Each structure stands twice: as C-alpha cells, then as structure tokens.
Amino acid sequence: MILETLRDAWKVSSIRKKIAFTLLMLLVFRIGSHIPIPFMDRDLLQNMMGSGGLFDFFNTFSGGSLKRFSVFALSIMPYITASIIITLLTVVVPYLERLSKEGEQGRKKIAQLTRYATVVLGFINGFGLTIGLRNALTIPQENLRYPIYIMVALVLTAGTAFLMWLGEQITEKGIGNGISLIIFCGIVAGIPDVVKNMVSLLKVGELNWFAVLGLAIIAAAIIAGVIFIQEGQRRIPVQYAKRVVGRKVYGGQSSHIPLKVNQAGVIPIIFGVSLVAFPATIATWFPSDSGFATFANKWMTMNGELTSIPYLVVYALLIIFFTFFYTGITFNPIDVADNLKKYGGFIPGIRPGRPTSDYLFKIMNKITLAGGIFLAIIAVIPSLIMGFTNITNIYLGGTSLLIVVSVALDTMKQMENQLLQRHYQGFLK
C-alpha cells in the first residue's frame, strides 16, 4: 500500500534524493515559522487574536506562524491570492489570455507576473496586518512608529517571497507541488496543538470520551468523503471518426473526457471564508459595544451557537457560488467542443459544435452542484462540531482535512508515476 510505495521509492536513488530535498525544504519552513519579528508583545498579541474566525483560518494555513507573528506570518496566502487574481484576469485581459495560449514561454511570463503580484499583495497585507496589530507593537519612540510599521511589513513580505521561492524549488527539484506541500505542512503542524487541547479538556471534564469518539468517526467519514469526491469524475465518451489518407486509415479509436466532480478544489472555500469573515474583521476596528460590532460578533461569526446559523448559510451559499464561478473559468465547454470538432471527435448521440458544448455545459452544471454542496458541507463541519462539543478552537476541521488528503493523494500519485517509469507497480491503478 502507501508504505510499500514509500519503501519502493526510497530504494530508487533519484527519487530518494527528491524526497530528502523536499523534507529539507519543509524543515526550513518549520524553522522559519518560529523566528519572531521584533517589537511585538507576544502575550498581548495572543489576547488580541483570540480564537475562531478569519485569524484562525489563516493561522492554520501558516502552521501557527500568524499567532506567533513570525517572519512567515503571512504564509503563502498572498501568492495564492495573486494566482487566483491572475487566473481571473486571464479571462478578461486579452494580453494575459494570449500569454496563456503561448505554451511554455507564456506560462513563464504569467508565473513572473504572479511573483510580482505576490510581492505587492504581500506588502499590502503585511502593512495592513501591522496596522491592525499596532497595539501589540512595543515601539521605543513615537517618531519611529511608521518606520517600524514599514520595516515589519517588509519583513513579512520577504517571508512570503521566500516561501514562494521555497515552493518553486520543491516543485522543480522535489516531489509534489511545493506550494501545496507548504500549506500541507502548516496544517499538519497544528495537529499536536489540537491533541493537546483535547487532552486538557478531558482532564478538566469539559470534554468526554464519547465526544472524542464522535470526532474520530466524523474525521474518518470526512476523509472517506474527500477521497471519494476528489477522485470522482464523470467520463464523457468520445469517438473519433476514421479518416483515409492515401493507403492509411487514421482515427476510429474511442476515448473519454474526464470531468472532475470537484473541479475548483479548495479555492471556493478560501474565497468564501474571506468574504464572510469580512464583517467580523471590520468590527474589530469599532468599539466592542458599538451596534455594528455587536451585530457582527453575534450573527456573523462562527461561535458554535444558534446565532451562527446566518453565518453558516451565507458561507455555504458563497462556496457554492464560487464553485460554479471558478469552474466556469477553468473549464470552457465551447473550447472543448471546438477542439473535438477540429480533430474529428464527437460524443455518441450528440451532434458536433453547439449541441456538444450545450451537452457538456449541462453535465458540468450537475456535477459542479454536487461538488459545491460537498465543499459547503465540509466547510461548515467545524462549526457543527463546536456546537455539539465544548471544543472552541478546533479549526483543524473539514477544510484542513480536504487540503491534507488532496495534497497527500496528489503527492503519492506523482511518486507512483515516477516509480512506474522505472517499471514498478504501486498501489494506485
């Protein structure tokens, strides 16, 4: 199984070097996650951040770096945001659309633009985060306030740029997608804290073993569901017409178009949590007893109570909306239909051209709805767990498990492909 694949991979010198390089880069990430930024009162910072909401979501992705306010506090999120923005702009900006169709050189140019956008967004996010946490900064002199703000923002930006470079190095010289593995490592690093918190709650009697057993069952069900949905696809049969060129016959073979159920991945969740947590984030800028702050903290936060129902409903609807939105960007039925027609392919029973694109659009909408509902259920599970248990800081929930399982599956597939190239037969068929 998985252990056998890892054992076989370790026996191959080239793959062993890639695994060792990947582990070394991830170790560098974990070391950097504990390098603190100066001028910060850690105790006051912990009290300001509290638990739940947007801070805990991004803190989970950063492996705890945000609450420690280390040099990697922003994690790789500015890069992800920049990648999403560039992808969206590719649809509406002719220059980017042209680059996306120019092969390897075009992809390199888009990657370069993504790096520039990452640095800009990193500085904006870093400066905004520094301003938001300014009360926790220990500034020696009042006239050094803004220079220190800028310095801290630059350090945070440099940390994000370094993680971006680290991820690219893992992708190029290691195993798996580097950016995904950094997020994976950050999430897995939070497991000991979750276990420690559960043990503490058990000792003081605020949590019982039945709740722990329930959490284990829910986690197992989520993992099984994630694997089922992530690997699930609708295969559209395609038949290619025979063509006679001289004395040779071309075509005539059958194939299929694999349409993934979860085409958008975890991106709708990231978009959704960013928007739905916006009111609660804005509320931190107002006095705690103000009307807006009271409303946002009661009705638009994930607090595990009945008052969080509007939050969960809006959150789920946003996830479903962004699932359709992002899938529509990444999959274009018209282009697929045109390519099929160009190379003599057709779907049995469906006429080439417009009828084919309409058919693909209809099928894609059905499976995208299923994928969006699945993502919405996965995303709201942490709140449901908090509602039925006394655990108030368990953000290692469905979203995190979705990312962890997806990245693990993708990494194992890449390792398996490299083994198959060397005449190994692994557990993935």
Side-chain angles (χ1 to χ4, degrees), residues 234-287:
R234 173 75 179 271
R235 297 186 175 183
I236 307 297
V238 175
Q239 183 71 35
Y240 287 91
K242 292 183 179 180
R243 294 181 295 118
V244 179
V245 180
R247 296 183 177 181
K248 293 184 179 181
V249 178
Y250 296 92
Q253 67 266 40
S254 299
S255 183
H256 66 270
I257 303 173
L259 301 179
K260 293 189 65 175
V261 176
N262 185 20
Q263 185 84 12
V266 76
I267 288 178
I269 294 180
I270 297 176
F271 273 30
V273 76
S274 299
L275 288 181
V276 80
F278 189 71
T281 304
I282 297 298
T284 60
W285 301 349
F286 292 82

Side-chain angles (χ1 to χ4, degrees), residues 389-405:
T389 68
N390 292 324
I391 304 178
T392 57
N393 61 346
I394 180 171
Y395 214 89
L396 191 65
T399 303
S400 300
L401 286 177
L402 173 65
I403 297 173
V404 168
V405 174

Side-chain angles (χ1 to χ4, degrees), residues 151-407:
M151 184 202 71
V152 172
L154 288 174
V155 172
L156 292 174
T157 304
T160 295
F162 180 78
L163 284 182
M164 177 178 60
W165 175 83
L166 208 65
E168 291 177 350
Q169 293 301 306
I170 293 175
T171 303
E172 181 181 352
K173 302 178 182 179
I175 290 287
N177 182 284
I179 303 299
S180 299
L181 283 173
I182 288 175
I183 298 176
F184 172 90
C185 184
I187 294 174
V188 172
I191 294 179
D193 290 336
V194 174
V195 174
K196 181 181 177 181
N197 177 62
M198 294 178 63
V199 172
S200 300
L201 293 174
L202 283 170
K203 288 182 178 180
V204 299
E206 294 184 11
L207 186 67
N208 56 60
W209 284 105
F210 290 103
V212 175
L213 179 61
L215 286 174
I217 295 174
I218 291 173
I222 291 175
I223 292 174
V226 168
I227 295 176
F228 180 76
I229 295 296
Q230 286 297 108
E231 297 298 300
Q233 57 180 230
R234 173 75 179 271
R235 297 186 175 183
I236 307 297
V238 175
Q239 183 71 35
Y240 287 91
K242 292 183 179 180
R243 294 181 295 118
V244 179
V245 180
R247 296 183 177 181
K248 293 184 179 181
V249 178
Y250 296 92
Q253 67 266 40
S254 299
S255 183
H256 66 270
I257 303 173
L259 301 179
K260 293 189 65 175
V261 176
N262 185 20
Q263 185 84 12
V266 76
I267 288 178
I269 294 180
I270 297 176
F271 273 30
V273 76
S274 299
L275 288 181
V276 80
F278 189 71
T281 304
I282 297 298
T284 60
W285 301 349
F286 292 82
S288 58
D289 57 349
S290 65
F292 178 76
T294 302
F295 172 81
N297 292 328
K298 182 178 181 180
W299 297 100
M300 296 305 296
T301 56
M302 194 166 57
N303 50 34
E305 300 178 359
L306 290 177
T307 53
S308 64
I309 291 178
Y311 172 94
L312 296 177
V313 172
V314 174
Y315 187 19
L317 292 177
L318 282 174
I319 289 175
I320 295 174
F321 168 76
F322 281 119
T323 301
F324 276 94
F325 180 77
Y326 194 77
T327 301
I329 291 176
T330 56
F331 180 81
N332 190 335
I334 298 178
D335 290 345
V336 175
D338 290 343
N339 288 332
L340 286 177
K341 186 176 181 180
K342 178 180 179 181
Y343 293 103
F346 62 93
I347 299 174
I350 307 296
R351 295 178 59 187
R354 179 67 179 271
T356 297
S357 63
D358 291 343
Y359 176 77
L360 291 175
F361 184 77
K362 180 180 178 182
I363 296 298
M364 200 66 206
N365 278 343
K366 290 181 179 180
I367 63 176
T368 299
L369 178 61
I373 293 175
F374 164 76
L375 289 179
I377 294 174
I378 288 293
V380 303
I381 280 180
S383 289
L384 298 178
I385 293 176
M386 289 191 295
F388 289 102
T389 68
N390 292 324
I391 304 178
T392 57
N393 61 346
I394 180 171
Y395 214 89
L396 191 65
T399 303
S400 300
L401 286 177
L402 173 65
I403 297 173
V404 168
V405 174
S406 300
V407 174

Side-chain angles (χ1 to χ4, degrees), residues 13 33 100 107-108 163 253 326 343 367 421 429:
S13 176
S33 299
S100 65
R107 285 192 293 270
K108 287 182 179 180
L163 284 182
Q253 67 266 40
Y326 194 77
Y343 293 103
I367 63 176
Q421 291 177 2
K429 300 299 181 182

